Amino acid sequence: MSEKQADPDMKGWLYKWTNYLKGYQKRWFVLTNGLLSYYRSQAEMLHTCRGTISLHGAVIHTEDSCNFVISNGGTQTFHLKASSEVERQKWVTALELAKAKAIRQLESEDEDEEDVSDTGVDDVSNTLKVLTAKLEDLRTCHDLIIKHGTALQKSLGELEALDNTQDLTAKTKTVNERATLFRISSNAMINACNDYVEVSSTAGRKWQRLLQHERDQRLRLEDMVEQLARQHSHLEQEAKEQMNQAMPPGHSHSEDEEENEFEDAVEELAENFIVHVNTSQAHKRSNSNVSQLSEEMASLNGSQATTPTDNEMKQANGRPKRQRRTYVPDKPNYPINLWSIMKNCIGKELSKIPMPVNFSEPLSFLQRLTEDFEYSDILDRAAQTEDTCEQLSLIAAFTVSSYATTAVRTAKPFNPLLGETYECDRTDDLGWRAISEQVSHHPPIVAQYVEGNTGWSSWQEFSMSSKFRGKYLQIIPLGIAHLKFDNSGNHYTWRKVSTTVHNMIVGKLWLDNHGEMEIVNHKTGDKCCLKFIPYSYFSRETPKKVTGYVVDCEGTFKWFITGMWDEKIEACRVTSQSIRAGKPVYETGPPRVLWKRNSVNPDAEKYYNFTELACQLNEPEESVCPTDSRNRPDQRLMEDGRWEEANSEKLRLEEKQRATRRRREAEAEKAAAEGREYPAYSPTWFRKETDDATGALIFRYTHEYWDCKERQEWSRCPDIF
């Protein structure tokens, strides 16, 4: 893939400062192409670079007879020590020369890029205009040669047929004149050909230089991505080793530590808002890790906090619970060359990358979005809560719960086809039912509507912006989620946070959710602000940590929230506020567990790390809509472990979708040519309307799906499978 590297300008052993515990450590350094890299040994040069610093813009200065420092604009600093003063001077001289060479090379590359940048769209257009004009000159010369050649041939014929010598002089003069015109036309043709060849050759060389420059840039980018991926993998491995060495043998997370964890988080959260929290009233836990005031923890719902039994559910719904599956077939082990696919996708939109099913899980994005309601019991509790700020803290816990499985679910769901739908009726056990539809293909937009038995409804329009950057994949949600309670009329909205998938090329995939989320009650003006702390090697923050607070319409703090997005969320109520030493101090009640993740089957890793609900989402059901994701053949083949057939079927479905789009575009062009109006694509179960809360155009549910299902009236559904 990469071109052969040049011989190093200098290489040898130096001592590099690591930390105060280990001091200077012996490392093998290599100086080449304006980059100083180091390794633990010479053998590591083949596979692992421990660090690299660019000498362009770097400052090199000596400290004493053996020590010298290289600093690159404050972002990187190497403290180095040579074995002798002579050795140090050799390295400093070589580094200064390499730095000067790197600066000259960079300036030369800038000039090349300026030359290349000249070959832009305007330059290509101008060159094509010149070539077109030259080609027109060639056609003109061709016509003149034909004209004068025919006249010359005619004159020669007349001269041969001449019987007497009286007209010989006149005819000879005519032949000479026409021969001169033919010679002039021929010379013009030759000159025009030379001009055309010269312009095309100059443009060809320029374009060839541009293509070569782009090729070199791509090769450098590929080498850089691979090197960064290797460094990332080894840094991650070293970090884990350091953490394991730092932890004493037999150490475990004690219950006292767990007890103090929430208090520390609340204090840290409070400091971020320039307040001091008094947690002296913090709730104590027993040795069994069960709250001594469990009734108080359940008071978020009053008497409604008790979870009903299966029998109670059965009686409340009036029908028996359906027996559902609890697992899916195990994931087969099919090897695939990841880099060969990924290197051609750098910088592209995720939804436009043709991915084989090897990178997917046997669920569509419609089903994955429905999985957000796995912990809908939080909404049932919130529906029974009269305190709006307390209700808002529960909704915050619900929004965090939707990320519970993303830590281990790194596979990509199937992109839905335009018009694809998914229904999920769980009123008999979970107390809600949902309908989702892919309402737009470019850009891809999913519309969803969910209604609960306890008087709440939720709807959202989900779209996203995503880019593959080689080393990681970033996903930025764009839609707004809505939640409304019938009894109070409280209407909440929020946006999802960003998600980044790391180690796309080398190493084990891992996922991080990060960003800020604001949940607003449009009726009362109450707000909840949540911050998903991004993971960083250099941060002391706990990975996957979430912190936040709830304020009323006047900006008064009511609740503090903290937890982990893949584990649990706790909150404590602000009981009183006072001013001490000019700073606000908040007295808080005991922490309450608002949400805790359900336990996962230890064997779940064998079947895509699915939860029990995820296993049930694609379970075959009768009487569902023909466009339902359960009926999608490539997804079903993948779930059954027939991946080669699934890939073939996936290509067929995508080509069918493209053919349908081309047909609609052709019909639209024909209608425009005839002056007719061509109707735009319209979803089956949603209509575009203006949202009352945000004022934006959204796809609103028509409330027709479940009636059509009861009648089995599917005539309006498109043929997409």
Side-chain angles (χ1 to χ4, degrees), residues 109-131:
E109 288 180 357
D110 291 341
E111 293 176 0
D112 290 344
E113 289 185 2
E114 290 178 1
D115 294 341
V116 169
S117 64
D118 292 339
T119 313
V121 177
D122 294 338
D123 186 65
V124 172
S125 178
N126 293 334
T127 303
L128 291 177
K129 288 180 181 178
V130 172
L131 289 174

mmCIF file with all atom_site columns, all heavy atoms in Angstrom, residues 109-131:
data_model
loop_
_atom_site.group_PDB
_atom_site.id
_atom_site.type_symbol
_atom_site.label_atom_id
_atom_site.label_alt_id
_atom_site.label_comp_id
_atom_site.label_asym_id
_atom_site.label_entity_id
_atom_site.label_seq_id
_atom_site.pdbx_PDB_ins_code
_atom_site.Cartn_x
_atom_site.Cartn_y
_atom_site.Cartn_z
_atom_site.occupancy
_atom_site.B_iso_or_equiv
_atom_site.pdbx_formal_charge
_atom_site.auth_seq_id
_atom_site.auth_comp_id
_atom_site.auth_asym_id
_atom_site.auth_atom_id
_atom_site.pdbx_PDB_model_num
ATOM 1   N N   . GLU A 1 109 ? 6.005   22.019 -1.308  1.00 0.00 ? 109 GLU A N   1
ATOM 2   C CA  . GLU A 1 109 ? 4.690   21.383 -1.457  1.00 0.00 ? 109 GLU A CA  1
ATOM 3   C C   . GLU A 1 109 ? 3.592   22.431 -1.559  1.00 0.00 ? 109 GLU A C   1
ATOM 4   O O   . GLU A 1 109 ? 2.616   22.261 -2.284  1.00 0.00 ? 109 GLU A O   1
ATOM 5   C CB  . GLU A 1 109 ? 4.423   20.446 -0.273  1.00 0.00 ? 109 GLU A CB  1
ATOM 6   C CG  . GLU A 1 109 ? 5.250   19.179 -0.306  1.00 0.00 ? 109 GLU A CG  1
ATOM 7   C CD  . GLU A 1 109 ? 4.946   18.288 0.889   1.00 0.00 ? 109 GLU A CD  1
ATOM 8   O OE1 . GLU A 1 109 ? 4.136   18.697 1.738   1.00 0.00 ? 109 GLU A OE1 1
ATOM 9   O OE2 . GLU A 1 109 ? 5.510   17.187 0.951   1.00 0.00 ? 109 GLU A OE2 1
ATOM 10  N N   . ASP A 1 110 ? 3.762   23.558 -0.792  1.00 0.00 ? 110 ASP A N   1
ATOM 11  C CA  . ASP A 1 110 ? 2.771   24.624 -0.882  1.00 0.00 ? 110 ASP A CA  1
ATOM 12  C C   . ASP A 1 110 ? 2.721   25.200 -2.285  1.00 0.00 ? 110 ASP A C   1
ATOM 13  O O   . ASP A 1 110 ? 1.651   25.490 -2.830  1.00 0.00 ? 110 ASP A O   1
ATOM 14  C CB  . ASP A 1 110 ? 3.091   25.736 0.122   1.00 0.00 ? 110 ASP A CB  1
ATOM 15  C CG  . ASP A 1 110 ? 2.865   25.277 1.558   1.00 0.00 ? 110 ASP A CG  1
ATOM 16  O OD1 . ASP A 1 110 ? 2.143   24.284 1.732   1.00 0.00 ? 110 ASP A OD1 1
ATOM 17  O OD2 . ASP A 1 110 ? 3.429   25.903 2.477   1.00 0.00 ? 110 ASP A OD2 1
ATOM 18  N N   . GLU A 1 111 ? 3.928   25.366 -2.891  1.00 0.00 ? 111 GLU A N   1
ATOM 19  C CA  . GLU A 1 111 ? 3.966   25.872 -4.259  1.00 0.00 ? 111 GLU A CA  1
ATOM 20  C C   . GLU A 1 111 ? 3.312   24.892 -5.214  1.00 0.00 ? 111 GLU A C   1
ATOM 21  O O   . GLU A 1 111 ? 2.570   25.274 -6.119  1.00 0.00 ? 111 GLU A O   1
ATOM 22  C CB  . GLU A 1 111 ? 5.407   26.134 -4.673  1.00 0.00 ? 111 GLU A CB  1
ATOM 23  C CG  . GLU A 1 111 ? 6.064   27.282 -3.895  1.00 0.00 ? 111 GLU A CG  1
ATOM 24  C CD  . GLU A 1 111 ? 7.527   27.441 -4.263  1.00 0.00 ? 111 GLU A CD  1
ATOM 25  O OE1 . GLU A 1 111 ? 7.989   26.648 -5.109  1.00 0.00 ? 111 GLU A OE1 1
ATOM 26  O OE2 . GLU A 1 111 ? 8.183   28.338 -3.721  1.00 0.00 ? 111 GLU A OE2 1
ATOM 27  N N   . ASP A 1 112 ? 3.606   23.590 -4.993  1.00 0.00 ? 112 ASP A N   1
ATOM 28  C CA  . ASP A 1 112 ? 2.988   22.568 -5.845  1.00 0.00 ? 112 ASP A CA  1
ATOM 29  C C   . ASP A 1 112 ? 1.481   22.604 -5.707  1.00 0.00 ? 112 ASP A C   1
ATOM 30  O O   . ASP A 1 112 ? 0.738   22.478 -6.686  1.00 0.00 ? 112 ASP A O   1
ATOM 31  C CB  . ASP A 1 112 ? 3.525   21.178 -5.473  1.00 0.00 ? 112 ASP A CB  1
ATOM 32  C CG  . ASP A 1 112 ? 4.983   21.016 -5.869  1.00 0.00 ? 112 ASP A CG  1
ATOM 33  O OD1 . ASP A 1 112 ? 5.461   21.840 -6.683  1.00 0.00 ? 112 ASP A OD1 1
ATOM 34  O OD2 . ASP A 1 112 ? 5.632   20.082 -5.333  1.00 0.00 ? 112 ASP A OD2 1
ATOM 35  N N   . GLU A 1 113 ? 1.020   22.767 -4.441  1.00 0.00 ? 113 GLU A N   1
ATOM 36  C CA  . GLU A 1 113 ? -0.425  22.779 -4.225  1.00 0.00 ? 113 GLU A CA  1
ATOM 37  C C   . GLU A 1 113 ? -1.050  24.007 -4.857  1.00 0.00 ? 113 GLU A C   1
ATOM 38  O O   . GLU A 1 113 ? -2.179  23.976 -5.340  1.00 0.00 ? 113 GLU A O   1
ATOM 39  C CB  . GLU A 1 113 ? -0.729  22.725 -2.726  1.00 0.00 ? 113 GLU A CB  1
ATOM 40  C CG  . GLU A 1 113 ? -0.413  21.375 -2.113  1.00 0.00 ? 113 GLU A CG  1
ATOM 41  C CD  . GLU A 1 113 ? -0.844  21.311 -0.653  1.00 0.00 ? 113 GLU A CD  1
ATOM 42  O OE1 . GLU A 1 113 ? -1.406  22.295 -0.160  1.00 0.00 ? 113 GLU A OE1 1
ATOM 43  O OE2 . GLU A 1 113 ? -0.610  20.261 -0.033  1.00 0.00 ? 113 GLU A OE2 1
ATOM 44  N N   . GLU A 1 114 ? -0.280  25.152 -4.840  1.00 0.00 ? 114 GLU A N   1
ATOM 45  C CA  . GLU A 1 114 ? -0.798  26.330 -5.513  1.00 0.00 ? 114 GLU A CA  1
ATOM 46  C C   . GLU A 1 114 ? -0.930  26.075 -7.006  1.00 0.00 ? 114 GLU A C   1
ATOM 47  O O   . GLU A 1 114 ? -1.909  26.460 -7.641  1.00 0.00 ? 114 GLU A O   1
ATOM 48  C CB  . GLU A 1 114 ? 0.128   27.518 -5.254  1.00 0.00 ? 114 GLU A CB  1
ATOM 49  C CG  . GLU A 1 114 ? 0.074   28.024 -3.811  1.00 0.00 ? 114 GLU A CG  1
ATOM 50  C CD  . GLU A 1 114 ? 1.030   29.167 -3.580  1.00 0.00 ? 114 GLU A CD  1
ATOM 51  O OE1 . GLU A 1 114 ? 1.706   29.562 -4.555  1.00 0.00 ? 114 GLU A OE1 1
ATOM 52  O OE2 . GLU A 1 114 ? 1.105   29.657 -2.439  1.00 0.00 ? 114 GLU A OE2 1
ATOM 53  N N   . ASP A 1 115 ? 0.117   25.400 -7.571  1.00 0.00 ? 115 ASP A N   1
ATOM 54  C CA  . ASP A 1 115 ? 0.043   25.063 -8.995  1.00 0.00 ? 115 ASP A CA  1
ATOM 55  C C   . ASP A 1 115 ? -1.121  24.131 -9.270  1.00 0.00 ? 115 ASP A C   1
ATOM 56  O O   . ASP A 1 115 ? -1.839  24.281 -10.255 1.00 0.00 ? 115 ASP A O   1
ATOM 57  C CB  . ASP A 1 115 ? 1.354   24.418 -9.458  1.00 0.00 ? 115 ASP A CB  1
ATOM 58  C CG  . ASP A 1 115 ? 2.515   25.416 -9.401  1.00 0.00 ? 115 ASP A CG  1
ATOM 59  O OD1 . ASP A 1 115 ? 2.252   26.632 -9.363  1.00 0.00 ? 115 ASP A OD1 1
ATOM 60  O OD2 . ASP A 1 115 ? 3.676   24.950 -9.361  1.00 0.00 ? 115 ASP A OD2 1
ATOM 61  N N   . VAL A 1 116 ? -1.252  23.152 -8.366  1.00 0.00 ? 116 VAL A N   1
ATOM 62  C CA  . VAL A 1 116 ? -2.338  22.192 -8.548  1.00 0.00 ? 116 VAL A CA  1
ATOM 63  C C   . VAL A 1 116 ? -3.686  22.868 -8.385  1.00 0.00 ? 116 VAL A C   1
ATOM 64  O O   . VAL A 1 116 ? -4.649  22.588 -9.099  1.00 0.00 ? 116 VAL A O   1
ATOM 65  C CB  . VAL A 1 116 ? -2.191  21.030 -7.531  1.00 0.00 ? 116 VAL A CB  1
ATOM 66  C CG1 . VAL A 1 116 ? -3.445  20.176 -7.528  1.00 0.00 ? 116 VAL A CG1 1
ATOM 67  C CG2 . VAL A 1 116 ? -0.997  20.172 -7.903  1.00 0.00 ? 116 VAL A CG2 1
ATOM 68  N N   . SER A 1 117 ? -3.752  23.800 -7.402  1.00 0.00 ? 117 SER A N   1
ATOM 69  C CA  . SER A 1 117 ? -5.026  24.477 -7.167  1.00 0.00 ? 117 SER A CA  1
ATOM 70  C C   . SER A 1 117 ? -5.440  25.313 -8.372  1.00 0.00 ? 117 SER A C   1
ATOM 71  O O   . SER A 1 117 ? -6.619  25.594 -8.573  1.00 0.00 ? 117 SER A O   1
ATOM 72  C CB  . SER A 1 117 ? -4.927  25.364 -5.921  1.00 0.00 ? 117 SER A CB  1
ATOM 73  O OG  . SER A 1 117 ? -3.973  26.393 -6.126  1.00 0.00 ? 117 SER A OG  1
ATOM 74  N N   . ASP A 1 118 ? -4.430  25.769 -9.160  1.00 0.00 ? 118 ASP A N   1
ATOM 75  C CA  . ASP A 1 118 ? -4.769  26.509 -10.371 1.00 0.00 ? 118 ASP A CA  1
ATOM 76  C C   . ASP A 1 118 ? -5.557  25.646 -11.330 1.00 0.00 ? 118 ASP A C   1
ATOM 77  O O   . ASP A 1 118 ? -6.336  26.142 -12.145 1.00 0.00 ? 118 ASP A O   1
ATOM 78  C CB  . ASP A 1 118 ? -3.500  27.024 -11.059 1.00 0.00 ? 118 ASP A CB  1
ATOM 79  C CG  . ASP A 1 118 ? -2.811  28.103 -10.224 1.00 0.00 ? 118 ASP A CG  1
ATOM 80  O OD1 . ASP A 1 118 ? -3.496  28.700 -9.371  1.00 0.00 ? 118 ASP A OD1 1
ATOM 81  O OD2 . ASP A 1 118 ? -1.600  28.324 -10.423 1.00 0.00 ? 118 ASP A OD2 1
ATOM 82  N N   . THR A 1 119 ? -5.307  24.338 -11.270 1.00 0.00 ? 119 THR A N   1
ATOM 83  C CA  . THR A 1 119 ? -6.024  23.418 -12.144 1.00 0.00 ? 119 THR A CA  1
ATOM 84  C C   . THR A 1 119 ? -7.378  23.114 -11.527 1.00 0.00 ? 119 THR A C   1
ATOM 85  O O   . THR A 1 119 ? -7.670  22.000 -11.133 1.00 0.00 ? 119 THR A O   1
ATOM 86  C CB  . THR A 1 119 ? -5.215  22.124 -12.336 1.00 0.00 ? 119 THR A CB  1
ATOM 87  O OG1 . THR A 1 119 ? -3.879  22.468 -12.640 1.00 0.00 ? 119 THR A OG1 1
ATOM 88  C CG2 . THR A 1 119 ? -5.784  21.292 -13.473 1.00 0.00 ? 119 THR A CG2 1
ATOM 89  N N   . GLY A 1 120 ? -8.160  24.141 -11.375 1.00 0.00 ? 120 GLY A N   1
ATOM 90  C CA  . GLY A 1 120 ? -9.479  23.991 -10.795 1.00 0.00 ? 120 GLY A CA  1
ATOM 91  C C   . GLY A 1 120 ? -10.525 23.842 -11.865 1.00 0.00 ? 120 GLY A C   1
ATOM 92  O O   . GLY A 1 120 ? -10.240 23.596 -13.049 1.00 0.00 ? 120 GLY A O   1
ATOM 93  N N   . VAL A 1 121 ? -11.774 24.065 -11.454 1.00 0.00 ? 121 VAL A N   1
ATOM 94  C CA  . VAL A 1 121 ? -12.890 23.930 -12.390 1.00 0.00 ? 121 VAL A CA  1
ATOM 95  C C   . VAL A 1 121 ? -12.797 24.978 -13.488 1.00 0.00 ? 121 VAL A C   1
ATOM 96  O O   . VAL A 1 121 ? -13.009 24.692 -14.670 1.00 0.00 ? 121 VAL A O   1
ATOM 97  C CB  . VAL A 1 121 ? -14.217 24.051 -11.617 1.00 0.00 ? 121 VAL A CB  1
ATOM 98  C CG1 . VAL A 1 121 ? -15.389 23.994 -12.587 1.00 0.00 ? 121 VAL A CG1 1
ATOM 99  C CG2 . VAL A 1 121 ? -14.325 22.951 -10.581 1.00 0.00 ? 121 VAL A CG2 1
ATOM 100 N N   . ASP A 1 122 ? -12.440 26.227 -13.101 1.00 0.00 ? 122 ASP A N   1
ATOM 101 C CA  . ASP A 1 122 ? -12.359 27.288 -14.105 1.00 0.00 ? 122 ASP A CA  1
ATOM 102 C C   . ASP A 1 122 ? -11.262 26.999 -15.118 1.00 0.00 ? 122 ASP A C   1
ATOM 103 O O   . ASP A 1 122 ? -11.446 27.224 -16.325 1.00 0.00 ? 122 ASP A O   1
ATOM 104 C CB  . ASP A 1 122 ? -12.087 28.633 -13.418 1.00 0.00 ? 122 ASP A CB  1
ATOM 105 C CG  . ASP A 1 122 ? -13.253 29.071 -12.550 1.00 0.00 ? 122 ASP A CG  1
ATOM 106 O OD1 . ASP A 1 122 ? -14.373 28.582 -12.808 1.00 0.00 ? 122 ASP A OD1 1
ATOM 107 O OD2 . ASP A 1 122 ? -13.041 29.877 -11.626 1.00 0.00 ? 122 ASP A OD2 1
ATOM 108 N N   . ASP A 1 123 ? -10.114 26.498 -14.625 1.00 0.00 ? 123 ASP A N   1
ATOM 109 C CA  . ASP A 1 123 ? -9.004  26.214 -15.531 1.00 0.00 ? 123 ASP A CA  1
ATOM 110 C C   . ASP A 1 123 ? -9.371  25.104 -16.504 1.00 0.00 ? 123 ASP A C   1
ATOM 111 O O   . ASP A 1 123 ? -9.058  25.178 -17.695 1.00 0.00 ? 123 ASP A O   1
ATOM 112 C CB  . ASP A 1 123 ? -7.767  25.836 -14.719 1.00 0.00 ? 123 ASP A CB  1
ATOM 113 C CG  . ASP A 1 123 ? -6.540  25.661 -15.615 1.00 0.00 ? 123 ASP A CG  1
ATOM 114 O OD1 . ASP A 1 123 ? -6.090  26.652 -16.216 1.00 0.00 ? 123 ASP A OD1 1
ATOM 115 O OD2 . ASP A 1 123 ? -6.057  24.514 -15.722 1.00 0.00 ? 123 ASP A OD2 1
ATOM 116 N N   . VAL A 1 124 ? -10.004 24.057 -16.002 1.00 0.00 ? 124 VAL A N   1
ATOM 117 C CA  . VAL A 1 124 ? -10.451 22.960 -16.879 1.00 0.00 ? 124 VAL A CA  1
ATOM 118 C C   . VAL A 1 124 ? -11.441 23.474 -17.903 1.00 0.00 ? 124 VAL A C   1
ATOM 119 O O   . VAL A 1 124 ? -11.376 23.138 -19.105 1.00 0.00 ? 124 VAL A O   1
ATOM 120 C CB  . VAL A 1 124 ? -11.060 21.821 -16.036 1.00 0.00 ? 124 VAL A CB  1
ATOM 121 C CG1 . VAL A 1 124 ? -11.699 20.775 -16.943 1.00 0.00 ? 124 VAL A CG1 1
ATOM 122 C CG2 . VAL A 1 124 ? -9.996  21.177 -15.163 1.00 0.00 ? 124 VAL A CG2 1
ATOM 123 N N   . SER A 1 125 ? -12.362 24.334 -17.446 1.00 0.00 ? 125 SER A N   1
ATOM 124 C CA  . SER A 1 125 ? -13.357 24.878 -18.364 1.00 0.00 ? 125 SER A CA  1
ATOM 125 C C   . SER A 1 125 ? -12.699 25.728 -19.450 1.00 0.00 ? 125 SER A C   1
ATOM 126 O O   . SER A 1 125 ? -13.051 25.615 -20.636 1.00 0.00 ? 125 SER A O   1
ATOM 127 C CB  . SER A 1 125 ? -14.370 25.709 -17.573 1.00 0.00 ? 125 SER A CB  1
ATOM 128 O OG  . SER A 1 125 ? -15.315 26.297 -18.431 1.00 0.00 ? 125 SER A OG  1
ATOM 129 N N   . ASN A 1 126 ? -11.725 26.556 -19.042 1.00 0.00 ? 126 ASN A N   1
ATOM 130 C CA  . ASN A 1 126 ? -11.031 27.395 -20.032 1.00 0.00 ? 126 ASN A CA  1
ATOM 131 C C   . ASN A 1 126 ? -10.247 26.552 -21.025 1.00 0.00 ? 126 ASN A C   1
ATOM 132 O O   . ASN A 1 126 ? -10.227 26.833 -22.236 1.00 0.00 ? 126 ASN A O   1
ATOM 133 C CB  . ASN A 1 126 ? -10.090 28.366 -19.317 1.00 0.00 ? 126 ASN A CB  1
ATOM 134 C CG  . ASN A 1 126 ? -10.842 29.402 -18.500 1.00 0.00 ? 126 ASN A CG  1
ATOM 135 O OD1 . ASN A 1 126 ? -11.987 29.725 -18.810 1.00 0.00 ? 126 ASN A OD1 1
ATOM 136 N ND2 . ASN A 1 126 ? -10.202 29.913 -17.459 1.00 0.00 ? 126 ASN A ND2 1
ATOM 137 N N   . THR A 1 127 ? -9.596  25.486 -20.492 1.00 0.00 ? 127 THR A N   1
ATOM 138 C CA  . THR A 1 127 ? -8.839  24.603 -21.383 1.00 0.00 ? 127 THR A CA  1
ATOM 139 C C   . THR A 1 127 ? -9.755  23.927 -22.389 1.00 0.00 ? 127 THR A C   1
ATOM 140 O O   . THR A 1 127 ? -9.429  23.812 -23.580 1.00 0.00 ? 127 THR A O   1
ATOM 141 C CB  . THR A 1 127 ? -8.080  23.549 -20.562 1.00 0.00 ? 127 THR A CB  1
ATOM 142 O OG1 . THR A 1 127 ? -7.220  24.193 -19.624 1.00 0.00 ? 127 THR A OG1 1
ATOM 143 C CG2 . THR A 1 127 ? -7.257  22.648 -21.462 1.00 0.00 ? 127 THR A CG2 1
ATOM 144 N N   . LEU A 1 128 ? -10.910 23.486 -21.929 1.00 0.00 ? 128 LEU A N   1
ATOM 145 C CA  . LEU A 1 128 ? -11.868 22.846 -22.838 1.00 0.00 ? 128 LEU A CA  1
ATOM 146 C C   . LEU A 1 128 ? -12.376 23.829 -23.884 1.00 0.00 ? 128 LEU A C   1
ATOM 147 O O   . LEU A 1 128 ? -12.589 23.457 -25.053 1.00 0.00 ? 128 LEU A O   1
ATOM 148 C CB  . LEU A 1 128 ? -13.040 22.270 -22.030 1.00 0.00 ? 128 LEU A CB  1
ATOM 149 C CG  . LEU A 1 128 ? -12.716 21.067 -21.152 1.00 0.00 ? 128 LEU A CG  1
ATOM 150 C CD1 . LEU A 1 128 ? -13.938 20.648 -20.342 1.00 0.00 ? 128 LEU A CD1 1
ATOM 151 C CD2 . LEU A 1 128 ? -12.248 19.882 -22.011 1.00 0.00 ? 128 LEU A CD2 1
ATOM 152 N N   . LYS A 1 129 ? -12.557 25.091 -23.504 1.00 0.00 ? 129 LYS A N   1
ATOM 153 C CA  . LYS A 1 129 ? -12.989 26.102 -24.477 1.00 0.00 ? 129 LYS A CA  1
ATOM 154 C C   . LYS A 1 129 ? -11.922 26.310 -25.545 1.00 0.00 ? 129 LYS A C   1
ATOM 155 O O   . LYS A 1 129 ? -12.232 26.421 -26.739 1.00 0.00 ? 129 LYS A O   1
ATOM 156 C CB  . LYS A 1 129 ? -13.281 27.417 -23.748 1.00 0.00 ? 129 LYS A CB  1
ATOM 157 C CG  . LYS A 1 129 ? -14.546 27.393 -22.903 1.00 0.00 ? 129 LYS A CG  1
ATOM 158 C CD  . LYS A 1 129 ? -14.760 28.737 -22.214 1.00 0.00 ? 129 LYS A CD  1
ATOM 159 C CE  . LYS A 1 129 ? -16.015 28.714 -21.359 1.00 0.00 ? 129 LYS A CE  1
ATOM 160 N NZ  . LYS A 1 129 ? -16.230 29.996 -20.644 1.00 0.00 ? 129 LYS A NZ  1
ATOM 161 N N   . VAL A 1 130 ? -10.654 26.367 -25.088 1.00 0.00 ? 130 VAL A N   1
ATOM 162 C CA  . VAL A 1 130 ? -9.557  26.537 -26.049 1.00 0.00 ? 130 VAL A CA  1
ATOM 163 C C   . VAL A 1 130 ? -9.479  25.347 -26.996 1.00 0.00 ? 130 VAL A C   1
ATOM 164 O O   . VAL A 1 130 ? -9.333  25.503 -28.218 1.00 0.00 ? 130 VAL A O   1
ATOM 165 C CB  . VAL A 1 130 ? -8.219  26.738 -25.303 1.00 0.00 ? 130 VAL A CB  1
ATOM 166 C CG1 . VAL A 1 130 ? -7.047  26.725 -26.288 1.00 0.00 ? 130 VAL A CG1 1
ATOM 167 C CG2 . VAL A 1 130 ? -8.234  28.045 -24.522 1.00 0.00 ? 130 VAL A CG2 1
ATOM 168 N N   . LEU A 1 131 ? -9.588  24.142 -26.442 1.00 0.00 ? 131 LEU A N   1
ATOM 169 C CA  . LEU A 1 131 ? -9.536  22.940 -27.284 1.00 0.00 ? 131 LEU A CA  1
ATOM 170 C C   . LEU A 1 131 ? -10.706 22.904 -28.253 1.00 0.00 ? 131 LEU A C   1
ATOM 171 O O   . LEU A 1 131 ? -10.561 22.480 -29.417 1.00 0.00 ? 131 LEU A O   1
ATOM 172 C CB  . LEU A 1 131 ? -9.537  21.689 -26.398 1.00 0.00 ? 131 LEU A CB  1
ATOM 173 C CG  . LEU A 1 131 ? -8.245  21.422 -25.609 1.00 0.00 ? 131 LEU A CG  1
ATOM 174 C CD1 . LEU A 1 131 ? -8.433  20.238 -24.665 1.00 0.00 ? 131 LEU A CD1 1
ATOM 175 C CD2 . LEU A 1 131 ? -7.084  21.137 -26.559 1.00 0.00 ? 131 LEU A CD2 1
#
